[in-house]
Structure formats: structure tokens, C-alpha cells
Amino acid sequence: MYILGIETSCDETAACIVKNGRLMLSHVVASSLKEHTKYGGVIPEIASRRQLELISIVIQKAFADARIKSKNIDAIAVTQSPGLIGSLLVGLSFARSLSYHLRKPLILVDHVKAHLYANFLFSKSIKEFELQPRFQNKNFPAVGLVASGGHTSLYFLRDFYHSHLLGQTRDDAAGEAFDKVARLLKLGYPGGPIIDRLSRQGKNSRIRFPCAELPETYDFSFSGIKTAVLYFVNKQENIRQFSTREIAYAFQKSIIHVLVKKCLRACLKLKAATLLIGGGVAANSALRDELSAMSRRHHIQCFTPLQSLCLDNAGMIACLGYFQFRRSPSKNS
Ligand code: KG4
Ligand code: ZN
């Protein structure tokens, strides 16, 4: 079964053809990120205008790279929500028209949950995939952490078809905290990759930023730590005493501590065989290392998507779309 995936929830315009929910035959992503960098965040108007210009070209390239004719796909999966309203509209309208024109079912997909499905993909053309372990049925039940710029959510997955939300952030998302702290440290946008890189050079245990743990729940809260960094930076003597690298390292360490602790608690309580991660923050090298080490200690398998598939892409949309379609084909429009 061939599914065309379309993703336009933020600054990316992405399309992908996935065979049988697993094999990526093409993977096209066009991003307008550079145009937003000078504003310190994504400008919705710019994002959706670019998407309007790009969507047709990106989808044509996805078909060409996969060597598949549009009439031969079985369904179209598209991000329904959450996301920027104008950007979502571009993808949804295009997908709906294409579905009508080709007479193929349209599958509406949740962007946040889809991030976890990036773990199930592989591709013959992306070499790094060969080093990745393949996710199989026996790896369930699983706990899944999605940490991105807009969301931080923890899921329980019984199998490929059934999952439910355990908890989510009550305020800022983890990636949002990275971006805001990077901005107040004058590091640029997006903050996550810059703080990740700086932290590798800034090991220092003297600074401690408190991060709410909300211990009786699977919820998260990251707005307090951002304020703690702000107060710390505003104290002039701290700026002289500590380097930006040290501050970045201490901030990242606190965020990772909470994410790892919560994942472990969920895995143990729910007897999960596997931990899955996804979303932009899942590209963070220290988070990947710590989750892998924690999982090894507790005999839990840890799956991390390729770095390129942590960020928004259409493969994950096609993959979740495939399982939704198999579960209830009649539910799709
Ligand atoms: O999943 P994503 O591409 O978009 C959303 O759905 O939000 O995630 C983008 C977020 C940004 O906040 C960015 O700063 C963060 O992911 N990010 C990282 C890293 N790479 C991207 N955060 C921490 N470490 C990274 N290496
Ligand atoms: Zn995302």
C-alpha cells in the first residue's frame, strides 16, 4: 500500500511516499526557517505564503523521487492539527483537492503523535538507517515522548494502532524553553541546536536551575526554568562569573533530568518494553545519550529516529496515516 504524506504545520513544506507504513520511497522537505531567523521565531504569514508557493513542487518531487504515478497511491495522509492555522490550511486544502481529483481516501493525522511514528520508518536511500535497529511488533507496549517546539507529551502505545496520552506540558514546551533561553542569552534561533552544541563545551555543575517535576503526574512544566535563567542572567555579577556555555549547559541539564525521570517512571509503572522519542528536541545529543543509558540500565529498548526525522517531516505523517487507515478504512474522508 502506498501513502502520500503531506506536512505543513509550521515552517516546513514536506511530502513523502511511504510503502506499507514503513519504507520511505521519497523524502522531500523545504523549509522557510532562514527567513524567520532574523525575527527570533516563526512568522505565520511568511510561513504560509512560502508553503503556497512550494506545495505543488514539493509533492511533484516526492512522486518523481519515488518513481510512483499519482494514480497508483492508495491514500493521502495530511497533518490536520496542531499547527499554525494558515500553514495547516495550505496542506489540508491541497490534500483535499488532490484526494477529490484522484478519488483516493484522505486521512487526517495528529502531528504530535505522528512524531513517534518516525521511529518505524526506514529507507533504502538513507545510509544511516542501516545502523538503526528495526522496530517490530514484539517491541510493544511502548512509552513515547514527543518533545518539540510546540509540545511536550508522553504517550502509552499498546500497539501500532492503539495509544493514549499520559500527560503533557502545562505551559511551555521543552523546545520553546530552549528557544526562549537561547534568545535571552542572545544565541539566535532556533535555540535547541545552538544550546546543544554549546553545552558540549560547557560542563559545569556549580549552577543549578530548578525545573518543576510535578511528581504525581505525567505532566511537565518548563516556564519556571526559563524565568530562573532570566533572573540569573539579569544578575550582572553572574554574567561576569559564568560563561554562556556554562549557563546553557546547566539549563539543558535540568530539562533533560526531568524528561529522563518522567520517561523512566512511565516505563516502569506501565511495564513498557520500549521507549520511543520524537520531535525536534529528540535531536538533542545529550538527551539521546541519557535516555539510551537509562534504558540500558533498566533493560528497556530505546528507539530514537534519525536526527533528520526528529524535525517535522512527511514520512511520520504517512506512517501514522497508514496505521489509522488499516485500523478503520471507513473513517477517512
Ligand atoms: O518538532 P519540531 O521540528 O517542530 C515542532 O513541531 O514544534 O521542533 C522544533 C523545536 C525547536 O524548538 C528547536 O529549538 C528544537 O526543536 N530543537 C532542539 C534541537 N534541535 C531542534 N532542541 C534541543 N536540542 C536540539 N539539538
Ligand atoms: Zn513537530
Side-chain angles (χ1 to χ4, degrees), residues 43-107:
I43 306 295
E45 177 71 15
I46 297 179
S48 54
R49 277 174 190 269
R50 282 289 163 268
Q51 282 158 332
L52 260 183
E53 290 163 12
L54 288 166
I55 189 144
S56 168
I57 304 164
V58 165
I59 291 176
Q60 281 180 45
K61 179 157 169 48
F63 277 116
D65 290 357
R67 295 168 197 268
I68 295 273
K69 291 211 166 69
S70 57
K71 65 173 192 226
N72 293 333
I73 57 165
D74 295 277
I76 300 168
V78 62
T79 304
Q80 179 183 32
S81 66
L84 303 172
I85 190 72
S87 297
L88 288 170
L89 263 175
V90 174
L92 273 165
S93 319
F94 199 97
R96 203 169 275 289
S97 324
L98 200 59
S99 138
Y100 182 77
H101 171 71
L102 297 173
R103 296 173 198 276
K104 306 286 180 188
L106 182 67
I107 313 160

Side-chain angles (χ1 to χ4, degrees), residues 5 27 34 39 45 74 82 120 131 136 143 153 168 184 198 202 214 222 260 266 271 273 276 286 301 324 328 332:
H27 177 224
K34 276 198 184 134
Y39 303 105
E45 177 71 15
D74 295 277
F120 307 149
L131 306 168
Q136 292 162 1
V143 161
S153 306
Q168 59 190 328
L184 67 92
L198 270 183
L214 310 175
F222 295 112
V260 173
K271 299 188 173 35
L276 301 169
Q301 280 223 33
Q324 279 180 211
S328 41
N332 305 290

Side-chain angles (χ1 to χ4, degrees), residues 12-43:
E12 283 91 358
T13 310
C16 180
I17 310 283
V18 171
K19 184 178 176 187
N20 296 335
R22 308 283 237 145
L23 179 65
M24 283 199 306
L25 299 177
S26 57
H27 177 224
V28 186
V29 185
S31 169
S32 59
L33 190 66
K34 276 198 184 134
E35 291 174 65
H36 307 281
T37 309
K38 62 175 177 241
Y39 303 105
V42 175
I43 306 295

Side-chain angles (χ1 to χ4, degrees), residues 111 115 148-150 175 178-179 190-193 196 279-281 283-284 310-312:
H111 174 93
H115 267 297
S148 71
F178 270 95
D179 294 336
D196 186 359
V281 182
N284 186 278
C310 288
L311 302 174
D312 292 347

Side-chain angles (χ1 to χ4, degrees), residues 7 9-12 82 111-112 115 146-151 173-180 182 189-197 200 252 278-287 307 309-313 316:
E7 153 64 33
S9 68
C10 193
D11 57 299
E12 283 91 358
H111 174 93
V112 183
H115 267 297
V146 180
S148 71
H151 300 87
E176 192 178 353
F178 270 95
D179 294 336
K180 286 178 175 169
Y189 176 84
I194 308 171
I195 291 185
D196 186 359
R197 211 170 41 246
R200 277 180 238 149
Q252 179 177 285
V281 182
N284 186 278
S285 51
L287 177 66
Q307 298 259 352
L309 293 183
C310 288
L311 302 174
D312 292 347
N313 65 86
M316 65 188 204

Side-chain angles (χ1 to χ4, degrees), residues 138-330:
K138 64 172 193 257
N139 297 119
F140 287 110
V143 161
L145 169 73
V146 180
S148 71
H151 300 87
T152 306
S153 306
L154 206 58
Y155 290 88
F156 177 75
L157 291 90
R158 199 172 83 210
D159 52 37
F160 285 116
Y161 306 94
H162 302 90
S163 63
H164 66 266
L165 187 65
L166 296 169
Q168 59 190 328
T169 184
R170 294 184 183 177
D171 38 57
D172 288 357
E176 192 178 353
F178 270 95
D179 294 336
K180 286 178 175 169
V181 165
R183 190 185 310 169
L184 67 92
L185 294 176
K186 301 191 173 54
L187 294 174
Y189 176 84
I194 308 171
I195 291 185
D196 186 359
R197 211 170 41 246
L198 270 183
S199 300
R200 277 180 238 149
Q201 313 150 9
K203 296 198 187 333
N204 181 298
S205 56
R206 281 184 298 157
I207 314 172
R208 294 243 190 284
F209 291 121
C211 189
E213 295 201 5
L214 310 175
E216 296 309 313
T217 73
Y218 291 120
D219 285 349
F220 302 89
S221 167
F222 295 112
S223 68
I225 187 168
K226 169 200 67 192
T227 313
V229 179
L230 176 68
Y231 286 159
F232 188 88
V233 169
N234 282 347
K235 275 196 173 171
Q236 283 307 313
E237 64 268 31
N238 284 335
I239 287 297
R240 271 179 255 118
Q241 211 180 332
F242 298 98
S243 68
T244 307
R245 284 184 195 141
E246 290 171 87
I247 301 171
Y249 172 79
F251 158 76
Q252 179 177 285
K253 193 173 168 203
S254 287
I255 296 253
I256 290 179
H257 173 77
V258 171
L259 292 174
V260 173
K261 203 165 168 182
K262 210 129 272 199
C263 286
L264 175 62
R265 185 165 159 263
C267 285
L268 296 181
K269 276 218 155 189
L270 302 166
K271 299 188 173 35
T274 304
L275 173 66
L276 301 169
I277 62 171
V281 182
N284 186 278
S285 51
L287 177 66
R288 290 165 86 96
D289 290 350
E290 292 213 12
L291 283 175
S292 302
M294 175 279 281
S295 304
R296 258 196 315 277
R297 278 198 301 278
H298 292 273
H299 309 290
I300 300 162
Q301 280 223 33
C302 181
F303 283 81
T304 54
L306 293 184
Q307 298 259 352
S308 58
L309 293 183
C310 288
L311 302 174
D312 292 347
N313 65 86
M316 65 188 204
I317 304 297
C319 181
L320 174 53
Y322 167 82
F323 288 107
Q324 279 180 211
F325 189 60
R326 294 248 340 235
R327 185 181 163 194
S328 41
S330 58

